[in-house]
Amino acid sequence: MEFAELIKTPRVDGVVLHRPFMPTVEGTLCLTGHHLILSSRQDTTEELWLLHANIDSTEKRFVGSLGTIIVKCKDLRVIQLDIPGMEECLNIASSIEALSTLDSVSLMYPFFYRPLFEVIEDGWQSFVPEESFKDLESMTDEWRLSEVNKDFSLCPSYPSLLTVPKDIDDESLCKAASFRHGGRFPVLSYYHKKNAMVMMRAAQPLTGTNGRRCKEDEKLINATLCAGKRGYIIDTRTIAVAQQAKARGGGFEQEANYPQWRRIHKAIERSNVLQDSLIKLVEACNDQSHSMDRWLSKLEASNWQSNVKEILTTACLAAQCIDREGASVLVHGTEGTDSTLQVTSLAQIILDPACRTIRGFEALIEREWLQAGHPFQQRCAQSAYSNGKPRSEAPVFLLFLDCVWQILRQFPCSFQFNENLLIMLFEHAYASQFGTFLGNCVAERGKLQLSQKTVSLWSWVNRPQELERFLNPLYEPNNLVIWPSVAPQSLLLWEGVFLRWNRSTKCLDEAYQEMVHIIEYNKELQNKVNSLRRQLAQLETEDKMVADLK
Amino acid sequence: MEHIRTPKVENVRMTDRLTPRKSTVGTLYLSSTHTIFVENSEARKEIWVLHSLVYNVERLPTNPSGSPLIIRCKNFLVYRLLIPQEKDCLDVLASLTRLSRPERYGELFCFSFNPNLDKELREKAWGFIDLKAEFNRMGIPSNLWHVTAANHEYRLCDTYPSELFVPKSASPAVIVGSAKFRSRGRLPILSYFHRDTSASICRSSQPLSGFSARSSDDEQMLQAIMKSNPVSELMYVVDTRPKLNAMANRAAGKGYEIEDHYTNTKLQFIGIENIHVMRNSQQKLIDVGELVAPSMSDFLWGLENSGWLKHIKAVLDAGIFIAKAVAEDGVSVLVHCSDGWDRTAQACSVASVLLDPYYRTIKGLMVLIEKDWVSFGHKFSHRYAHLDGDPKEVSPVMDQFLECVWQLMQQFPCAFEFNERFLIQLHTHIYSCQYGNFIGNCQKERRDLRLQERTHSLWPHLWENRAEYTNPLYRTDHSQTQGVLKPLTTAYCFKFWKGMYGRAEKSVASHQSPADCLNVVREESQQLEEELSTHQEVPRETDAGQETCPTEGEENFRGEEDQQAV
């Protein structure tokens, strides 16, 4: 298929663009296979380059022969294009519609994008499982790297290499896999060096209504417990939801079969509920005419903040079990690809200082989201303005980022990165020139040959020129576990994402610049003082030598 | 001392509802001015609670572990005690209940508080804020405005200061006549003069217009105010009350200006609710802060139900309307409500903060409070329940003003010289009665109490500790520091003030604060600057020293360096 077939009108002159906080621009609108471009052909005004993949939905209106297209983007921005001529407008609208809803992954922009920078470090190779296993090996010899899922036949959504208890052979793993939803048997997620406790993740056990059990599954998770120690199973669903799952063949671990484990149920919502929550929240944020009462009631009704609170609370619980109770933890929900990953990744941010560095955070996303098989392509197919029938879209990753932002805000000195990195990840998860978030699991990415045919997001982010934008000037490495407050009054609306296009950030940006300035000035002074101290010390030794000679 | 039944109780537990392991055991002491809790731990940490800051004391039913007692403070801190013996608990309850409700001014802490200042320094301290100088800063007196002696000995209006600034063109007869036509004699007087446009903010109480009454003196007074702004042919009257409330007042012979009687005057209602609505609203907000482990819905619903942020928005909207009229339209504004000492003070002072960068400095905010609140007769002792009295007179008027400033700080982080801590400290002292500044209800009352001789002033104390109250991001040359602030007032711009209302639980206290980190960095930079300047001088000295014989100073210096090396 050629893109040209979809582009009915490649360019229109005299189009007026309205964007939040920017002067209106009149210019020429061009449609290419992947971009909507508006340029006034003057140097003074910034051009608009919008990826079709970023377009969530469009609306058109006509007043006489003047057509207007409202373009609502996945990054929550809303722009307006006034197009003279009804036919042109209709053509543009239907072309955008077609180009922004291409079904085939291989037609996506990352396959066509050629970087304008030299790739120094290939992001596709930056975080390989073998490397993280080396780190683990340096701390403990209780674990091994299994190739049982080499051809993705045991568990299609898992990577080919998995960290499992040393004493459990591949045959047992196969049996355990057959007892877990989607073959997602318990694997290592995190090893807490301080007390050798671990966090594992899996999908729900397939106990069904007649209470099936699986000795290998029991043996597998018991292998992670020290003698006489108990562990916690954190089921991210309420007990009622978990009970209902039995009817569909799922279920939860029965106490009788897992006597060394205590099960705790939490109430993280399922993905379709989360999508509804996002739509309502963004709707509330975008209506500036709300009275105070109406705004607060809409914010409450969206349940977004409740979702943030529940996810963070569950992550804190997991971290608490490990660090304070000295117990190992197994986390799962239903499929083990959504709420489970929110919890395991946030718990690591709380527990592990390494995850609060840029590299460590990238590695965490790679490990706990991409390789762990969060279906990015399905979940991020549509964002808050989707008006079609919901399929499997859900802001699972965005909620994770929101929770990270909450912790970052409470511990502004404990993270090497700043809010910009989180916002950037949100944007790229939904629409990107990079291939990182394409596909739903490692197997799919392999088939798409992403690492050969597309550029990794990390190749770009980790360039020193780009990194600078994401560095937190207040960062002071902090080796402690950080316990965020989950009290409602401690959790705020993430304005950087949800009010980003609704209010100017000029004053806040100035404040940020001032902060950077204060810290840079301090560093400069420190350097000067240090060099003078060295000079002084040198002069003194010289003095002394002269004196000694005398 | 006669109210203290038990001066000391041992083995008292200070509990923390959210994290029980943070509870501590210690000894409770009652003095004539404070409740003191001293931890048994090695650190012997002390908590001092001023009796005058206690809002109420509540005893819960005795349980096997002891008798619980909750001390709630006017600055929203809450202390939960567990006293082993019920009898002791009852004694503490009775003593504290009495001690926290003084009946006479003489019982207030400010009359016994003694920071060891000699008489001369104390007098000087009271002169720290000089309102005459403040009016001079605005360019007043001028050829259009002057001070009138009409209120000498408070004979025109006993709740106004003795010195009033009025238009030069208003004759003594007009001044007296206007005062007679205004509630409690609170005639229109100058509050703020905006040099850039020569528009002014004046304030008064409501006119006694009823359904048809008029006063030519009052009408002339407004004309005089309008004409004191040579460039404008118009003036606004801002009635900060909801229109319905204002109309209801007409039946009592009060009300608002009838536009037909006042030429070239536009009347605008703003809709700030009365003190009773605000008192109830704040109570609901405090209850939200005290909820045990609330869900997000409980919290957001409680916040909405309290209506608090809606009221804060109304006060800010009033300030924005006035500031815009003065700065953009160049039109003078007369602001009033009913008596002109609550909503009027809020609206005028918020407008002043928006208009004038000076009021966004530490000293400037002190001046503003002294001018718009203290001198113009805001009833501090009634509103903040300094004495046991009519609970219907109590209302968080000043709390709302301070919160408006805080909300502005969230939108303009570089525009204010002071930080959140400064606002919270001001709030505490408005209630604490430790200093004499906020005692009484008007200037006359404070004079009669001889406060300047008998108590100390808060302002120099805050000024000396200003390093603690400085916003590290403030820079005078910042674009947002200068000129008029134009805040957004979309509903989502208003936030729950956690630093103020989220303090009921110790363990929810804030985590790292970027501002505090930055202050540490800035202090370090200052030290480095100093070290740099000494280092840069040293090499020259050393050079000189090598040619001649070493001086003593140099020996000393080297000695110090050696010690450091060791």
Side-chain angles (χ1 to χ4, degrees):
Chain A
M1 191 198 65
E2 287 289 321
F3 291 117
E5 292 168 20
L6 300 172
I7 304 172
K8 295 187 184 152
T9 302
R11 53 173 285 184
V12 187
D13 291 323
V15 174
V16 178
L17 164 72
H18 306 266
R19 281 184 284 187
F21 314 114
M22 288 189 178
T24 53
V25 182
E26 188 180 330
T28 305
L29 177 75
C30 297
L31 290 185
T32 72
H34 294 105
H35 285 97
L36 181 158
I37 304 157
L38 192 127
S39 169
S40 64
R41 307 200 179 177
Q42 284 163 357
D43 295 338
T44 46
T45 51
E46 211 188 311
E47 289 180 344
L48 170 76
W49 282 70
L50 187 69
L51 265 181
H52 293 315
N54 192 0
I55 296 173
D56 209 21
S57 71
T58 54
E59 282 165 26
K60 42 186 186 293
R61 284 202 299 257
F62 290 96
V63 179
S65 66
L66 180 77
T68 291
I69 304 178
I70 313 263
V71 179
K72 299 182 172 181
C73 303
K74 289 176 186 164
D75 61 14
L76 309 183
R77 173 173 30 162
V78 178
I79 61 170
Q80 181 185 329
L81 297 164
D82 296 340
I83 300 170
M86 190 179 285
E87 199 194 326
E88 282 83 354
C89 183
L90 284 170
N91 283 346
I92 294 285
S94 69
S95 309
I96 294 176
E97 175 79 28
L99 289 163
S100 61
T101 52
L102 293 177
D103 269 336
S104 169
V105 184
S106 56
L107 290 177
M108 301 298 256
Y109 186 50
F111 290 95
F112 299 82
Y113 169 74
R114 292 292 158 262
L116 293 171
F117 58 88
E118 191 196 344
V119 176
I120 298 161
E121 184 199 328
D122 182 5
W124 291 113
Q125 307 306 324
S126 294
F127 309 100
V128 289
E130 289 90 339
E131 286 298 316
S132 51
F133 185 74
K134 266 186 206 154
D135 291 342
L136 180 69
E137 259 184 325
S138 69
M139 299 184 275
T140 169
D141 58 0
E142 298 288 309
W143 299 82
R144 70 184 182 92
L145 215 45
S146 166
E147 291 184 356
V148 68
N149 199 37
K150 183 165 71 203
D151 54 359
F152 308 106
S153 58
L154 192 61
C155 172
S157 64
Y158 267 167
S160 54
L161 289 174
L162 291 157
T163 310
V164 295
K166 192 181 64 185
D167 300 335
I168 305 295
D169 56 24
D170 282 359
E171 202 181 321
S172 305
L173 293 178
C174 291
K175 286 193 177 136
S178 69
F179 182 63
R180 292 273 171 181
H181 191 119
R184 294 176 69 93
F185 59 88
V187 295
L188 182 78
S189 163
Y190 170 67
Y191 179 84
H192 197 44
K193 194 177 173 186
K194 192 167 121 192
N195 59 9
M197 293 300 128
V198 298
M199 179 160 60
M200 283 178 302
R201 52 177 158 75
Q204 63 176 347
L206 303 174
T207 55
T209 40
N210 50 13
R212 259 182 71 201
R213 66 186 287 189
C214 171
K215 293 271 184 206
E216 287 76 11
D217 186 75
E218 292 159 25
K219 206 177 125 200
L220 167 55
I221 70 166
N222 284 339
T224 64
L225 293 179
C226 307
K229 277 268 188 184
R230 281 166 68 96
Y232 289 89
I233 294 173
I234 296 176
D235 192 325
T236 61
R237 307 162 294 180
T238 60
I239 179 77
V241 174
Q243 286 281 8
Q244 284 160 16
K246 283 184 176 174
R248 290 187 299 274
F252 51 85
E253 295 82 357
Q254 291 296 338
E255 284 89 349
N257 304 337
Y258 299 83
Q260 287 162 278
W261 295 81
R262 216 189 116 199
R263 208 179 62 245
I264 305 173
H265 288 273
K266 298 300 287 181
I268 302 183
E269 292 286 3
R270 281 189 61 83
S271 48
N272 52 339
V273 180
L274 300 180
Q275 179 68 9
D276 189 44
S277 170
L278 174 68
I279 292 172
K280 283 188 184 154
L281 174 71
V282 171
E283 213 175 80
C285 292
N286 283 356
D287 190 340
Q288 324 237 341
S289 68
H290 283 326
S291 70
M292 189 64 73
D293 288 353
R294 189 146 176 78
W295 156 247
L296 288 171
S297 105
K298 286 228 158 195
L299 178 64
E300 194 257 314
S302 80
N303 256 327
W304 184 265
Q305 295 296 93
S306 302
N307 289 320
V308 168
K309 178 168 156 55
E310 191 60 31
I311 294 166
L312 259 183
T313 307
T314 312
C316 285
L317 173 72
Q320 215 162 10
C321 290
I322 294 171
D323 189 69
R324 294 234 170 113
E325 302 279 318
S328 286
V329 170
L330 169 67
V331 184
H332 71 72
T334 304
E335 290 100 343
T337 53
D338 296 297
S339 57
T340 305
L341 305 182
Q342 289 172 330
V343 173
T344 56
S345 53
L346 287 167
Q348 291 180 53
I349 286 172
I350 293 167
L351 293 170
D352 186 0
C355 293
R356 299 174 221 142
T357 64
I358 291 193
R359 275 307 265 227
F361 189 63
E362 291 171 359
L364 181 78
I365 286 168
E366 189 69 41
R367 223 170 46 230
E368 291 297 305
W369 289 89
L370 291 161
Q371 289 167 16
H374 174 67
F376 275 98
Q377 198 174 310
Q378 288 178 9
R379 296 284 181 258
C380 302
Q382 294 260 263
S383 165
Y385 303 118
S386 60
N387 40 21
K389 218 167 134 199
R391 287 172 299 181
S392 24
E393 297 81 20
V396 177
F397 187 61
L398 175 57
L399 269 163
F400 158 73
L401 294 174
D402 194 328
C403 292
V404 177
W405 178 79
Q406 306 285 351
I407 309 177
L408 169 62
R409 216 190 49 82
Q410 291 183 24
F411 296 92
C413 307
S414 299
F415 288 80
Q416 190 189 19
F417 53 86
N418 59 21
E419 182 182 2
N420 294 339
L421 184 80
L422 302 175
I423 297 173
M424 183 276 292
L425 286 169
F426 159 59
E427 291 174 336
H428 283 273
Y430 280 84
S432 176
Q433 64 269 46
F434 303 107
T436 298
F437 293 110
L438 290 182
N440 291 303
C441 55
V442 175
E444 269 187 48
R445 284 186 204 101
K447 272 197 211 116
L448 290 166
Q449 295 178 291
L450 291 180
S451 61
Q452 294 97 40
K453 292 187 173 171
T454 74
V455 181
S456 161
L457 174 66
W458 313 130
S459 305
W460 173 70
V461 174
N462 287 333
R463 302 170 71 231
Q465 304 91 308
E466 299 299 333
L467 265 185
E468 205 169 317
R469 192 155 66 88
F470 303 122
L471 287 174
N472 173 12
L474 288 172
Y475 179 55
E476 288 279 343
N478 162 4
N479 267 321
L480 301 171
V481 175
I482 51 176
W483 297 107
S485 159
V486 293
Q489 43 178 276
S490 305
L491 302 176
L492 298 185
L493 177 71
W494 189 8
E495 298 186 5
V497 164
F498 298 110
L499 299 181
R500 183 177 179 191
W501 311 104
N502 299 335
R503 49 140 182 62
S504 159
T505 54
K506 188 175 152 274
C507 293
L508 302 179
D509 294 344
E510 275 178 7
Y512 187 82
Q513 285 313 316
E514 186 57 40
M515 183 169 90
V516 171
H517 170 81
I518 290 171
I519 289 165
E520 276 175 0
Y521 178 63
N522 176 267
K523 283 189 182 141
E524 195 184 308
L525 283 177
Q526 267 176 358
N527 289 341
K528 272 191 194 159
V529 167
N530 285 341
S531 103
L532 277 172
R533 279 181 188 158
R534 272 196 303 275
Q535 279 180 33
L536 194 71
Q538 206 175 353
L539 280 174
E540 276 174 45
T541 22
E542 279 169 18
D543 263 15
K544 216 173 174 191
M545 282 164 65
V546 173
D548 286 350
L549 282 175
K550 278 181 188 170
Chain B
M1 291 304 270
E2 72 267 32
H3 306 303
I4 301 171
R5 300 190 183 183
T6 309
K8 179 179 171 188
V9 187
E10 282 178 341
N11 292 319
V12 172
R13 182 174 288 272
M14 179 81 82
T15 57
D16 188 312
R17 279 191 309 177
L18 290 188
T19 23
R21 65 191 167 75
K22 284 192 184 163
S23 298
T24 51
V25 177
T27 306
L28 192 73
Y29 299 89
L30 286 189
S31 82
S32 58
T33 55
H34 290 84
T35 304
I36 307 149
F37 177 80
V38 184
E39 275 182 21
N40 286 351
S41 67
E42 255 175 55
R44 313 278 307 160
K45 209 183 126 203
E46 293 174 12
I47 296 172
W48 289 59
V49 185
L50 204 54
H51 295 327
S52 44
L53 263 180
V54 173
Y55 170 68
N56 71 17
V57 194
E58 185 190 352
R59 189 177 78 92
L60 301 181
T62 301
N63 61 45
S65 50
S67 284
L69 196 70
I70 304 174
I71 303 176
R72 291 191 179 82
C73 296
K74 292 173 179 171
N75 58 357
F76 315 119
L77 289 169
V78 178
Y79 301 97
R80 292 165 201 282
L81 303 172
L82 191 66
I83 298 171
Q85 301 294 323
E86 190 176 33
K87 189 194 155 290
D88 289 335
C89 183
L90 287 168
D91 280 350
V92 172
L93 173 70
S95 311
L96 267 181
T97 306
R98 174 61 188 87
L99 288 165
S100 62
R101 285 182 205 155
E103 287 158 1
R104 291 170 293 107
Y105 278 121
E107 290 176 40
L108 294 179
F109 180 42
C110 56
F111 293 105
S112 57
F113 173 62
N114 181 7
N116 283 327
L117 276 186
D118 62 37
K119 190 162 166 280
E120 202 180 318
L121 276 172
R122 176 199 293 221
E123 275 165 19
K124 218 177 128 207
W126 276 109
F128 182 72
I129 301 292
D130 177 359
L131 289 185
K132 251 196 178 144
E134 169 56 10
F135 279 98
N136 283 335
R137 188 190 68 88
M138 296 181 212
I140 304 294
S142 66
N143 55 342
L144 293 166
W145 294 89
H146 71 162
V147 76
T148 170
N151 202 32
H152 184 63
E153 286 302 315
Y154 310 102
R155 57 187 173 213
L156 203 56
C157 170
D158 59 359
T159 59
Y160 265 168
S162 59
E163 288 192 347
L164 302 173
F165 288 90
V166 291
K168 243 184 190 167
S169 56
S171 69
V174 163
I175 291 171
V176 173
S178 174
K180 282 191 179 143
F181 191 64
R182 294 274 165 179
S183 236
R184 299 173 197 271
R186 293 173 67 91
L187 73 153
I189 48 165
L190 181 71
S191 169
Y192 177 70
F193 180 78
H194 194 58
R195 271 186 152 164
D196 298 352
T197 60
S198 65
S200 61
I201 302 176
C202 294
R203 56 185 284 173
S204 69
S205 61
Q206 62 187 340
L208 303 174
S209 45
F211 289 103
S212 58
R214 57 192 292 182
S215 150
S216 89
D217 286 331
D218 193 60
E219 287 157 27
Q220 282 182 47
M221 186 69 188
L222 263 69
Q223 287 305 301
I225 290 171
M226 189 186 78
K227 285 187 181 140
S228 299
N229 178 3
V231 289
S232 174
E233 306 257 288
L234 181 72
M235 79 175 279
Y236 294 130
V237 173
V238 169
D239 189 326
T240 55
R241 301 168 292 183
K243 190 169 182 187
L244 217 61
N245 300 20
M247 283 166 71
N249 265 294
R250 292 169 72 179
K254 297 166 190 170
Y256 50 88
E257 291 78 358
I258 294 149
E259 274 176 331
D260 291 348
H261 299 169
Y262 295 84
T263 21
N264 298 324
T265 298
K266 266 197 70 182
L267 183 64
Q268 172 79 36
F269 292 97
I270 297 275
I272 304 176
E273 297 289 349
N274 65 29
I275 56 168
H276 313 294
V277 174
M278 300 309 193
R279 177 176 59 243
N280 293 334
S281 170
Q282 193 191 40
Q283 188 52 53
K284 286 184 188 161
L285 184 76
I286 295 167
D287 293 345
V288 171
E290 269 204 59
L291 288 174
V292 188
S295 72
M296 189 55 83
S297 293
D298 294 339
F299 174 72
L300 289 174
W301 187 85
L303 193 58
E304 180 195 336
N305 184 249
S306 76
W308 182 256
L309 291 178
K310 181 171 63 189
H311 299 314
I312 296 295
K313 176 169 153 59
V315 175
L316 191 58
D317 279 336
I320 291 171
F321 180 87
I322 299 164
K324 187 174 169 293
V326 168
E328 285 177 31
D329 310 340
V331 173
S332 294
V333 184
L334 170 68
V335 186
H336 71 73
C337 45
S338 299
D339 293 314
W341 50 43
D342 293 317
R343 288 171 273 203
T344 300
Q346 289 178 329
C348 291
S349 52
V350 169
S352 301
V353 168
L354 294 171
L355 283 167
D356 195 332
Y358 177 63
Y359 298 128
R360 298 173 222 144
T361 63
I362 291 177
K363 179 93 183 269
L365 189 70
M366 297 177 185
V367 168
L368 183 65
I369 291 172
E370 190 70 31
K371 174 170 72 74
D372 276 1
W373 295 83
V374 178
S375 86
F376 289 141
H378 175 62
K379 303 203 293 174
F380 280 94
S381 279
H382 284 166
R383 296 291 176 260
Y384 312 112
H386 291 161
L387 298 179
D388 196 22
D390 183 359
K392 287 208 167 66
E393 278 285 322
V394 180
S395 189
V397 185
M398 191 84 191
D399 301 37
Q400 291 183 317
F401 165 65
L402 294 175
E403 177 155 345
C404 283
V405 176
W406 181 83
Q407 299 281 0
L408 288 172
M409 284 162 67
Q410 307 312 299
Q411 285 194 41
F412 304 96
C414 305
F416 293 85
E417 188 191 13
F418 46 82
N419 58 17
E420 179 184 27
R421 200 174 294 138
F422 186 60
L423 299 180
I424 292 177
Q425 191 70 359
L426 279 173
H427 179 268
T428 294
H429 282 297
I430 283 161
Y431 285 88
S432 76
C433 302
Q434 183 171 353
Y435 293 89
N437 303 64
F438 308 119
I439 306 302
N441 294 307
C442 58
Q443 198 181 69
K444 180 170 180 293
E445 222 177 298
R446 278 188 293 277
R447 189 197 60 174
D448 295 346
L449 284 167
R450 292 187 296 117
L451 285 172
Q452 300 211 357
E453 296 151 51
R454 299 167 65 203
T455 71
H456 293 267
S457 170
L458 170 67
W459 303 129
H461 168 72
L462 291 178
W463 182 250
E464 277 157 28
N465 296 300
R466 63 188 175 278
E468 216 180 303
Y469 304 123
T470 303
N471 169 16
L473 297 175
Y474 176 72
R475 259 185 35 199
T476 45
D477 54 354
H478 246 294
S479 65
Q480 58 179 287
T481 312
Q482 284 145 16
V484 181
L485 295 185
K486 290 174 190 156
L488 275 182
T489 55
T490 324
Y492 52 60
C493 297
F494 293 83
K495 295 178 184 132
F496 174 79
W497 190 0
K498 190 185 165 204
M500 182 67 96
Y501 296 104
R503 297 191 294 167
E505 303 293 341
K506 279 185 280 177
S507 41
V508 191
S510 62
H511 294 271
Q512 299 165 342
S513 136
D516 286 345
C517 302
L518 286 176
N519 267 333
V520 171
V521 170
R522 285 203 0 174
E523 262 170 44
E524 194 194 69
S525 291
Q526 256 169 27
Q527 284 166 9
L528 288 170
E529 274 170 354
E530 280 163 26
E531 185 173 346
L532 214 55
S533 61
T534 48
H535 275 319
Q536 275 162 349
E537 280 161 22
V538 168
R540 266 177 275 130
E541 276 181 24
T542 318
D543 285 347
Q546 274 173 347
E547 281 175 34
T548 59
C549 51
T551 63
E552 256 179 57
E554 243 185 84
E555 289 283 304
N556 269 342
F557 176 78
R558 287 193 181 159
E560 276 169 24
E561 282 288 301
D562 285 347
Q563 272 172 7
Q564 274 183 11
V566 172

